[in-house]
Every structure is written in C-alpha cells, then in structure tokens.
Amino acid sequence: MDAVTAVAEIKNLRVEIDGRAIVDGVDLRVLPGTVTALVGASGSGKTTTGLALLGEYPAGALVSGDVRAPDGLVGYVPQHPAAVLNPARRVGALLRDVARAQVRHLPRRERRTALRERVLRALALARLPDAETMLRRYPHQLSGGQQQRVVLAQALLLGAEVVVADEPTTGQDPSTKRGIVEQFAALAREGIAVVLLSHDLDVVRALADEVLVMRDGHVVESAPPERLWRAPRHPWTAELLASGSGATRVEPVSEGATTLEVGPLTARHGRTAVLRLPGLTLHPGACLAVVGRSGSGKTTLGRCLAGLHRHHDGEVLLDGVPLPRSLRDRTRQQLAAVQYVFQDARAAFDEHRPVLHQVARTAVRLRGAAEPDALAEALTTLAALGLAEDLVRRRPGALSGGELQRAALARALLARPRVLICDEITSGLDTVTRKGILDTLAALVRDRGDLSLVLITHDPATAALAGRVVVLDAGEPVEEEAPARRVMTGA
Amino acid sequence: DASGPAGDAKAGDSAAAGGRPRRGGRLRAAFAGGGASETLDPHLANLFGDVARAKALFDKLADYGPDLSARPRLAARWEPNAGLDRWKVTLREAAFHDGKPVTATDVLYSYRRITDPEKAFRAKASLEPIDLKASRALDERTVEFVLKRPTAEFPNVLAAFGAYIVPGREQDFDRNPVGSGPFRLVSFAPGKSAVLRRNDGYWDGAPYLDELELLVANEESARINALLGGQIEYAHELDPTTARAHEGGGRVEIIRLRNSTMQAFAMKTDRPPFDDKRVREAFFLIADRAELVAGALSGAGEIGNDLFGKGYEYYDASLPQREQDLDRAKALLKEAGAEGLEVTLDTSPVAAGFTEAATIFRDQAAKAGVTVTVRTGSKDSYWKDVLDSGTFCSYRSGAMPVEAHISQRLLTESTTNATKWHHKDFDALYRQAQSTKDKASRAAVYARMQRRLHAEGGFLVWGFADWILGTARHVRGVETKAPANSLDWARFDKVWLA
Amino acid sequence: MKSRFALGAVVAGVPLALALVGPWVAGGPGPRAASFTLGGGHPLGTDFVGRDVWDQVLLGGRSVVLVALAATAVAYLVAFPLGVVSALTHRAWLEELLMRPLDVLLAVPSLLMILLVAAVLTPGAAGLALLVALVNIPDAARIVRAAAAEAASRPAVEALRMQGETWWRTAVGYVGRCLTRTLVADAGVRLTGVLYLVATAAFLGVGVEPDAADWAVMVDRNRTGLFVQPWAVVVPALLIVALTMGVNLLADAGLEKRRRTWTP
Amino acid sequence: MTGPRSWIARRLLLGAAQTAAVVLLVFALTEALPGDAAVALAGDQPDPERIAAIREAMDLDRPALERLADWTAGLARGDLGTSLASGRPVGTYIADGFGPTLLLAALTVALLVPTGVGLGVLAARHEGRFTDRLVSSLTLGVYAVPEFAFGVLLVTVLALRLGWVPPTAVGYGTDLLAHPAALVIPVLVLLSRPVCSLARLVRAGMIDALDSPYAAHARRYGVPGVRVRYGHALPNALAPATQQLARTVDWLLCGVIVVEALYVIPGLGTVLMNAVAERDVPVVQGLAVVFGVTTVVLNLGADLVARRFAPRTEAAA
Ligand SMILES: Nc1ncnc2c1ncn2[C@@H]1O[C@H](COP(=O)(O)OP(=O)(O)OP(=O)(O)O)[C@@H](O)[C@H]1O
Ligand SMILES: Nc1ncnc2c1ncn2[C@@H]1O[C@H](COP(=O)(O)OP(=O)(O)OP(=O)(O)O)[C@@H](O)[C@H]1O
Ligand SMILES: [Mg+2]
Ligand SMILES: [Mg+2]
C-alpha cells in the first residue's frame, strides 16, 4: 500500500491564528484511488486541513509544516456552496466555464456540443434532474441541496486527480445521498483520490478507505473504517461513533390549543408554484419535522411561515390572528413569536460584526432587553450550545460551519420564540454535538411548554425528535404522521 | 473708380506696411457669433460677427472714420439746408450684386424697412430724426431727407449701426443676399461659417482677396489656437493677456485698435446716494485709473477722464486729467453726510474686465471708507437689468460719435439713459449744438456740455480698452487705427495676403 | 505596516497644511500690480486682478477644503438614505416615488439650473454648498441605489429583519458597510468635481465673490494668463490635484485588505 | 412579483411622465430666468420701446401658459415649433447639432469603456501595490486638472508644437467625419474625467469581487485569469459603474459645452448655450424634450443592467 505514491501529502501541519493553533500536528497522505475521510467534532479543524490541501489558509494565519499540494487542479466541494456560486451568473455558465478546459483540445466546431454533453452528464452524475431548467437558473433560485449538487457537478466536471469534498451530502435526501456516495465510489475506482470531510458517519463508513478522527486540531486516531467501528482506540472516537441515534421524542403537551395555523397555501417563485399545502396546524409544545427530497419546498414552507417569502396566497394565523405576509410588516411580538434559523448559516450573518453582538441584538430588539443583559444571556445560550466566549467574540468568517450553525440557532432562541423553524440546523454537526443540541431543544420545549418546533431536516436522528412528520414531495405533502424512521431511511 | 479719401490713405498705409498689394487668396477670419440663429439680414446685425458679414455684403450711406466722424460711402456727398432740417444726399454710382444700380428708392426702402413699427430693428432708434413720410427721391441718385428737427450731425445718422442699404424689393437674405458690398455670398451655415467671393464690380475697387470665409468661434482660446495652428488668418477679439503672450513672438501679428471701448461705472444720478453731486465727485476721486487699467484690462488700454470718446471728434481733451485723491474724496463724502457709505455695485461677466474692475474698485473704495458690495448678475439680461434698477453698475460702450453718446444716453428722453441724467438745460445745449451749422461753434457747445459731465456727470469713465486682433504673418492691409465699429474695423476689401 | 499611508499622507499633507495654516501666515493685502506679471517682489507673480499669487494661494485653501467637504457631505447625507431606502424597500411605488423625481432633475440641463440660481438667488457660501450638493444628489443617489441593490437582497439582511433590527442599523451598519469602498471611491472623485462647480458658480456670481481667494476660483479666473503667467493657474491646480490624489490614496490605503498568510 | 417585462413597461410609462415633467420644469426655469428673448436680443441697447416691439413681434406678450399650450399642441403633431430668434424650425437646430454630438459621444464611449474598465480592473488586481497607486494617481491627477488646462496642454503639445492634429475644428462645420484628426483632442479631453470616475468605481467593486469566494473558486478550477476578472468578478462590480457610465453618456449627448466651445464643434451643447443666452424658449424646450428622453432611456438601460447583474433583488422578501 505504501508503495503507491501519494498525490498530496501533509506533514505535521500547524495553522495558527492569533497565537492559537486551530490545526496542530496533522499528517495526511492522499493516495490515488482511495477515499480518505476526516471526521471529528465541529470546529476540530477539518475544513482547515482540507483547504490546506488546496494550498489555502485563513487570512492572517501562521502556517508551519510540510504541505505538498497536488500538482494539478483539485476539485473542491465547499461546506457552504452558496458562497462559491457567482450570484450574477447562471448555473449553465458556471458549469461551462469549468468544463471549457476539457474541450480545448477539440476542434472549434465540436466544442459547443461537447461542452454541452459534458455539462449534462455532470448534472446527471450529481443527481440533478431537470437539467434544462437548472442550467437557466441563477444560484439563488436553487434550493440548498441543489446548490450543493451544482458545486459537486463542477467538481466532477473538472476531471481532477484529487477531490476534496467538505460535507458533500448535507442537505440531501437519502436516495440522492446514496447516488452521491456511489459517485464518489466510482471516482475512487477511476483512480482519483477523494478526501471526504464529513459528519455523516454512514457515508464515511460506506466510502472511506482510511478515516482520520480529529479533535481540537489534532488527529486523535486514524484507521480503516472497519477497524475503527469495531475497536475505536481513543475514547473520543468511541463517543463519536456511539452517539448515533437521536434524542427523546417530544410529544405535544395539549392537542387542543393551536399556536400556528396555516390555511390552504400555494407559494410561488415567479409563475411556478413550488409549494401547495392544504393546511397545517401546530400545537404548543409540539415538534413537527418537515422532510422530503431536496428541492421539494421545505425551505419555502419555512420561509412562508417566517414572512420571508411573500409570494403566496393563503393565511398564516398566530393564535388565530393573521400574520402579515412580509416580516417587514410584523410587529416585534410577531417577529419574536415566529423565528426562523437559516439553512445557510454563513450567508445569514453580517460578516463585519462579531457573532456575539449579532446574537445579542435579538434580545435587545425583540424583547427590549438592556444591552449588557442581552450580552450575558447570549453568552449563556451560546455556551449551552457549546460555543465558548472567545469564539463568539470573533467575526463569522473565523467560525467553522458547525459553529456558525449553532450561533444562528442561539440568535433565534434569544427571541424566546413560540414557533421556532429550524432549517437544517444539524447538518454541519458531529454526532456528539448534534445530540447535545437536540437534547437542549427537547428540554426547551418541555420546560417552556408553549414552544413549538418545526424541524426541516434530512437527518433521521433529528427527525426522530418530532412527534409528527410531514413529507413533502414536489411541493405537496404526501404523508403526514408517518413514523420518522421509515421516511428517513428509504424512498 | 470713386474711392474716397479714406480709401486713398489706406492704400498708402498698406503699401508702406508691406509692399505692393497682391491679388488672390482666401482669408479665413474668426469672430464670436450668435449661433444657429444667425441670419444675413443686415438690419438684424447685432454682434460683431453679424456686422462683419453685413459689411462685406452691404454698404451704408456713410460710415465712421478713425475719429468717429462720418465719412461718405454710398453717399457721394450731403448738403443741408440753412435750417439743418433738410438734407440732400447724392449717391455715388454703385451697383448691387445683381447688376442693378443703387438708387434713391432703394435707400428710402431700406430706411423704411428699418423703421417699420412692426419690426424692431436695432437702427430704428438711430433713424428716428428722419421724417420718412416727407422724405423723397429727387432723382435716381438723390434723396432729400426731411428731418423732424435741425440735426447738424445728420451724417452720423447715415453711418448708424445697422443702417445698411438693401435693394428695394423683398429678398431671401439667407439664401441669396443681394447687396452692394465688396463680397458676394457663396454659402452660409448659420453659427458656423459664411463663404464669400470677391465682387469684381465693387465701387470702391474690387477686393484683393478671392475669397473670404467668416467663421464663428465663440471661445477666445479657440480663435487664438486656430490662428496659431494656421486654421485661420484673422482672429477677432483677443484677450489682452493673449496679446501679451504672442506679441513680438513672431508667430502671429497682434493689432491693437486703440480707444475702442469706453470702460466705466455708471452712477444713477436721480437717487441716493448719487443724487448728491459731492458723492459723485468723491467717487471720481476714489478711482485709481491706472490700477484699474493695469488690473482689469491687463494694461491693454488707456485711462479715462470721466468723459466718453477719447480721441474722437469733439472730445474735450483740454480738461485736466482726474487723479485719485482719497483725502479729498473722504472730505467730500463727509460734507455730503455720507461717511461709512455702503453701495452695491452691479456687475456681470457680460463684458471682459467687468468683474475684475468691480472688485478692484471695491478695494479702492474701501480705502476711502466706502463699502462696496459687488453683485454679479445674469449676463443675458444685464443691460436691461441695470438700466432702471440699482444705483451703481459696471458699464461700457462701443465706439460712436460723441454726439450719439449724448443723444442716446444723456438726454431726458434718451431711451438708454443709464445714469438717469435728466437736465433740461443740458438738453437745451444739445439742441443748440444740433442747430449750429458752424463746426467750431458746435465744438464749443459740446465742450461746455463735457465740462459739466466731467464735474458732476454720472459716468465714472476710468478707461478705454484696446480692441485686439490677431492676424497671420502674411496678412497685410489690416487697418490698425480704426476703433471697433468704425469703417475700417473688420473690413476685408483692402486686406491682402503676401 | 503604516507605510501604506505614507504616499497619500505626503501628497495630501501639502495642500491640507497650506489650507490650515495659510491664512495665518498670509500678509495683509499689499498694493496691486498689473495683472499677470512675474517678479517685482511677487514670488509667484500676480493674478488676473494684479494681486500677489502666493498670498492668494495661502488664503485660498481653506474655503476649497471646507466647501468641497461640506457639499460632498451634504450630497451624501441626502443621497445615501434615498438610495438605500429605495434599495431596501419592497414597495415598488416607494422606490419610484423617491428615484424618478431625481431623474427629472438629472434631465434638466445643469447650466440652466445654475444660471437660474445665479439670477434669482444670492446665496452665500453655505447656499453655494447646498446648491452644489443639490446638483450632485441625483447622481450620487443612483450610484448608491445601484450599489446597494445586491447587498440589500442578501440573506444577512433578511436575518437582520428577522431580528427586528432597526432600519438604521440595517441600512448603515450592514448595507452601508458593504458599500463603503464604492461610496468612498465615488465621494473621493465627487469631491473634486464639486470644487470646480464652485468655481463656475463663482464666475456666474453665485456664492463666493468672483475674485475670491479660493484655489478653484483662481484656476478658473487666471486661465487667460496661462501663457503669460502660468503660476497663477499651475500652483493652485497642482494643490487641488495633490489634495484629490492624496485624499483618495489615503482612503484606498485605509480600506486595503490585509490578507497575507505567513508560510515559513 | 414584478417580472422584467412589466417592470420595463412601468418604467417607460413613468419615463413619459418624467419627460413631461422635464419639459414643464425647463419651461418654468426659462420663464423664471430674468429677461426674455426680447431683452436678450436688445443686448446693450435695452431701449424699452424696442423691447416692447420685439416682444410683440415674437408673441411674447401672450401669457406663458398659452404659449406652452400652443407649443405642446404642436409637439403632439410632431412639430417642435420655430425659433424665436431666427424663425427657423427648431427641428433643424436639433438635427444640425445632433450629428457632431453623436459622433463625439460615440467615439468617447468607445474609448472610455475599455480604458475605464481596464484601468479599474488593473488597479484592483494590484490593490495596494505600485500599479494600483500609479493608475489611481494618474487617473485622479488627470481628473483634478481642470478641463481647459488639460485641453490647453494637449493643444499646445499635439497641435501647435508637434502639428500632428489641428488645434480646433473651426471651419469644418458639422462634417467632422471628414476631418477625424480634429476630433483627437476633444475626445481626449472628454475622456479625461469619466475615465477616472469609471476606473475608480470599477476598482472599488472589483476589489471586493476579486476577493470573493466565487472568484477564488473559479481560479481554483483553472478558469483563465482574464475570464475570472471579466466574466466572473466584473459583472458583480459593474452596477455602480454602469450608473456612472449612463451619466457620462447622458452628459456627452446632452451637450459638452466647454469642449464644444474650445474646439468649435457645433454640437447640441452649443445650440443649448446660445438658445439659453437668447432665451429662445422653443429651442430650449425642443432640446429639453430630446434630453429628457435621452436621460430616461439611459437611466432605464443602466437600471436594467444593474438588475441583470444583481438578479437576487427580484426575490427579496
Ligand atoms: N479565520 C479564522 N480565525 C480564527 N479562528 C478560525 C478561523 N477560521 C477557523 N477558525 C477556527 O478554527 C477551528 C477549526 O475550524 P474548521 O473550519 O477547520 O472546523 P471544522 O472542523 O471544519 O468544523 P465544522 O465541522 O463545524 O465545519 C474552529 O474552532 C474555528 O473557530
Ligand atoms: N427564486 C427562485 N426562483 C425559482 N425557483 C426557485 C427559487 N427558489 C427556489 N426555487 C425552487 O423551488 C423549489 C423549492 O425550493 P426549496 O428551497 O424550498 O427546497 P428545499 O425543500 O428546501 O430543498 P433543500 O432540501 O435542497 O434545501 C426548488 O425546486 C427550487 O429549485
Ligand atoms: Mg468545516
Ligand atoms: Mg432548503
């Protein structure tokens, strides 16, 4: 095995910012035809290590160690796909630009058709159906999962020797996820080196040839998956692998009262209706999971409730009082009552201000808390979600994906909402942290009594929290009250 | 050939300046103009560019010599009666461009056209003394003008600005203007150019130039640059500083037409504080004329003596030159109870040197304890605005006979009396002069009037500006002693290219 | 580290220092000489009305700096809210109400505007700053609007709204912050445009005296003497050039990103 | 949800209203200016009788609203009226002036866009380094030099010293295409300022755009540098610059008075200047219509571009 030369290699990498090592002593060999997986706690340095393979480091970082980046281009699927999709260009143009280098050797006349073929094939491989419409869309017109698959398609188009994929399966439904896993396996079979950074242990287990477990910037253990799952050596690994299943299910306190009531509702993007809901009620203390394929309208539903998507007909009643369609017209009480946690946490933060202040502002604005009280409360809430003070005093750019997701949740929680809509808030969290968060949420619902949760998710563990599940398909609910397990595992 | 005395003198001058005149060539001359609404109707001529065109295409009965006295042009001679209210004018033999002779009927037609009450031609006011109903053609070439009152200076009327003779029939001036001038029209693009060709049958001798192109360039720097770059041969109206920069530089000739423009401040004598003649005198004494000429005219001019028409016929040069005397000025102001006087000086960028002179005078007045506030007004309506309102304003006047200056600006019924100089006895003196046939006695009356104006008039005439032209080195025969508006200014029939 | 500011500071320092201390150093008005002369005890010659150019240079910086700053500031004070409101609103009518009248102002020949103001009003220096600002508002507002559109539609703004954040914090704290670079670039250039507009206005009789000691007015009024006495134009023009360049370079340096990584 | 089509329709409708407002405003302004055509024509001989006579001859003694109504009625028939000063149709004034103006504007824009954008992108690429400082200082320096001084410099050097091009276009009339050399200096002078404002705005936008994750991603994927800059980053940096460009084109089309005067180019600026000086209201009005329409169309174009490059604005809550 060692006879094979590594396409990229990291030796004793140390990345230090402001005197704090965020990655320390990491060794990594990327071999052709293998899948190397990095797992570990949120904020443990996976993304930093992955980027190091591309020769990229956070601004202002002090780097030491040997990094031999691959010679050619490296495919990269970033954790936050929205950021790398140019908002002013159509998906088609973004894909063609990547593929153009591949067809350069062809005669000029054939390039066009070849380009088109390649783009369409990549879309198919990335499990993006309805390619024609997709190509004409702008990135903001895609759902989170669709954006991710576009980025994946780009990586596939590149034809690189090495692909670094940072959480490529978050936001994907089980069947799509299986497709993507197959795709990576196929890549590896073709001799391409895949570096997979993921929290999704099922995926890692299915794909990886070698797994590195990280914690606090160190690799605590590395082994082939069979061995790791069989006999984890490090206690942290054991903990990580054990926390697979979800938290306790939350049952509604009382069926009688309703917090939120949604009438028949049709939501549109432009002329096309993307969501047709016959109705929905939410009881105090209830937890509802919204699941469904990527692009089925889950986010749209959440945004309609939150007043972020105005183009719908139908009413949303809070305690029997209709809520204004746009959140701009909602009163502070109404805003506080219905809070939404964005699917893309990074995009939803102001990159110029420290996270803590942004989180605290919710309490100040929506509950009239005094500034110091709000800050103190924000700190406690953030700490409960596993975010230390020195971390949250930084700007969003200096937080990891999972850290930001938790901060976004904290920001919504500070409003003391009555309806909390969480859009994929656990997709970037390791199993341990996820369990912690779900427990916190469950405890909150129990303690507060009037809080109802709407969990938009692909993750069975998260959905398991819900007493009720709505399955959306192409914008319409196909099943309600379905047992979460079944929905989440197969289709 | 019936060229007058002026023509002879001219030919001599030019010969001295640069050898024998040569025929041929094309001269391009640039003037500031009136844009796309320019017309070739000579009676509408208003700006210098219009006048240059009108002059090239048409003639007047008389025009002004270098001292602004009337010289015969289409009129061969004039003869008044004893009462000076009937003038017999004999025309010289001249023909229009279409070959028809210039007749007495054409003259009367032209003057009637100018005075048409429906129209508002500029020369209308100047022709006011003529009773055109009573005037008649005695024969083909003699007109008898009947005047409303004795007018000793009647030839000035014939030379008036815009009093051109056109053929006595309707014509389309812009397409095919027919005049009796030294050039014929080839083409005309309003606001851009007029191309003219020599009129071989011109009564004053055919021009030397084959072709003359009168171009419009409103910006001074464009005119001098075009001249330096060889795009034109004659640039009208240059800045004094431009002249200084290029004078003696060898690339172009700079020509200064002395005493072309009177530069003054006008005080309204009918309202405080200038209704007190002591205040007016104090202001006369405040002005440091040399500083004004050096600062506002960049030295291109001469100092004035509070009288119009320096160097012109009838100008009283015997009066002592007034000097700055701040002590006396202060004393006079004190006497008049006008210590700590504050006045507003209206000015506008309407003419070169206006705002400069105003600010310089402001500083001079401050030394005499007078606070002058300079107020800059719109240049498009400036003359109308300062005619009746305000008390103190920048003023200037182009060349015209001293008599015309008095009749247009200083009589009770004058229409543009900017100093509001209303004095019955002064009006009477004017009438007396106009009915005095003897020139010397007339001059004496004008001198009396000027003494009064010098002592207590409303015009603080601080200088006379040069009118500056630039020509290419090979242009000859450009008259150097003709104030703007006089006959030899902007005249191209005696110009030739070496 | 601070060396990136050096160039801008040096270039802007000369005119700013002159503007600041000039009036203290300048002597009283001496006797006038002829216009546009060189020598004769005048180190930089005399100007169009025969005054000492050096004296005028010393006196003329303060108003340039003050009026330019004030007018630009006022223009942005109005243009920024207009532009950002119309970028942030989702009510089409509000945007049209705010922006379309400004377009009308844009379409009116500015010559006509200045002439009119010159003719009917006699504003002082403050009025002048206002007028010049007015002329700049529609322009600046459109640029703000265009630049803000993208930032205003980001999820971060939605999140701020979700938090019930004040309009002010959203508009200035977030959208404005995202636009800083563009607005600073625009304002830096506008600053200079404003100066010459002041000079034109002065010539037409608005605001300051036509012979005011003001670098821009000096440049404008002394132009006829450029070939006889270049200093009267060149020196104030160079000072304005230095001021413009320096201020903008300083702003550039201040906004520069530090994105270095240290790899051994 | 406003689709692009209904948006354009609305803007065009508003544009018609705007043009009407411009015309009204211009009429009011010209009326408010002291003096009228009669006073302007009377010049330094403001004999009140003569002014009254001219006024009568020009129909100026009629109430302003009546004149406006007549003029508007004419406009509805496509007749822009006749000049007060010369009696010639206003249409000919505009037609005559439009050629040179259009030519000058087209040439300037054709050079402005590549230079302005190119310099801006160049400076942004090298932010903080020598090239950036050089480009910024140069463009700002040229910007801060007054137009006339820059013009004098060019004339002195290019025309009078070197004799490469004529110093002015005097005598060429409207047929400027036949004398392309005469356009060199005017176009350079016209370029001097817009290049700076455009380059500065492009630079500002490009620094952020080049620094964005999507530009980094494109570079990472081996997209050629030129394409990253012009295809990926530039569209996101362009919205403010487009507005600036629209303003510049507007300025170029609605009369560049100084340059036209300095180089004797008989364009619309000269026509406007003279018409205002003569208080030739019908001509000013006719120009106002032309300028109003131009501005409306250009603004619409700029806004369309801004929308195209920030497509997310449509979807904002
Ligand atoms: N620019 C920065 N400045 C300071 N700290 C940073 C910066 N970027 C990342 N960090 C910190 O470094 C740690 C590792 O970040 P990294 O993004 O590599 O984590 P991760 O393992 O990918 O986490 P996640 O699973 O949540 O995405 C985190 O604690 C993060 O807060
Ligand atoms: N602005 C838009 N214009 C047109 N179509 C849109 C727009 N935004 C989203 N869509 C489409 O609407 C559908 C629903 O999108 P939504 O974001 O609600 O999906 P989702 O269920 O949240 O998917 P995911 O799980 O991938 O986040 C998708 O097919 C998406 O492509
Ligand atoms: Mg990460
Ligand atoms: Mg979604």
Side-chain angles (χ1 to χ4, degrees), chain D residues 156-193:
Chain D
T156 312
V157 175
L158 295 184
L160 302 182
R161 278 277 144 73
L162 300 171
W164 290 349
V165 293
T168 70
V170 71
Y172 299 157
T174 44
D175 186 22
L176 293 174
L177 265 185
H179 308 271
L183 293 173
V184 171
I185 298 179
V187 167
L188 285 180
V189 173
L190 286 178
L191 273 176
S192 64
R193 311 194 110 203

Side-chain angles (χ1 to χ4, degrees), chain C residues 153-228:
Chain C
S153 60
R154 290 188 195 162
V157 172
E158 292 182 337
L160 287 170
R161 288 203 186 102
M162 192 88 237
Q163 281 184 289
E165 196 49 277
T166 55
W167 183 88
W168 194 249
R169 282 237 188 175
T170 314
V172 182
Y174 182 70
V175 178
R177 178 77 179 66
C178 293
L179 305 188
T180 321
R181 203 180 283 279
T182 300
L183 298 193
V184 166
D186 183 58
V189 173
R190 216 165 274 285
L191 203 70
T192 316
V194 161
L195 288 182
Y196 288 112
L197 209 56
V198 170
T200 312
F203 183 59
L204 291 171
V206 186
V208 291
E209 300 246 349
D211 65 340
D214 175 301
W215 294 339
V217 175
M218 286 177 75
V219 169
D220 189 67
R221 304 307 315 278
N222 289 318
R223 65 165 80 178
T224 48
L226 190 58
F227 285 103
V228 190

Side-chain angles (χ1 to χ4, degrees), chain A residues 54 56 73-76 78 83-89 94 97-98 100 104 138 140 154-155 158 270 307-308 310-311 328, chain D residues 1-2 212-224 227 231-233 235-236 308-317:
Chain A
L54 302 169
E56 294 174 27
L73 298 172
V74 181
Y76 178 59
V84 299
L85 293 172
N86 193 329
R89 310 198 76 207
L94 290 171
D97 269 356
V98 176
R100 197 156 279 138
R104 208 162 282 150
Y138 287 102
H140 77 271
Q154 282 186 319
L158 188 64
L308 290 165
R310 278 183 298 140
H311 307 289
R328 302 172 197 237
Chain D
M1 185 97 190
T2 50
S212 66
Y214 53 79
H217 198 59
R219 263 184 240 116
R220 206 179 270 151
Y221 276 12
V223 177
R227 208 174 165 80
H232 291 248
N236 291 283
R308 162 65 185 80
F309 288 137
R312 195 156 50 181
T313 44
E314 288 174 40

Side-chain angles (χ1 to χ4, degrees), chain A residues 137 140-146 171 269 274 293-300 343 424 458:
Chain A
R137 292 228 180 131
H140 77 271
Q141 294 171 325
L142 303 179
S143 78
Q146 288 165 338
H269 282 295
V274 294
R293 306 186 63 124
S294 166
S296 58
K298 303 181 295 295
T299 298
T300 309
Q343 184 170 8
E424 308 278 8
H458 289 294

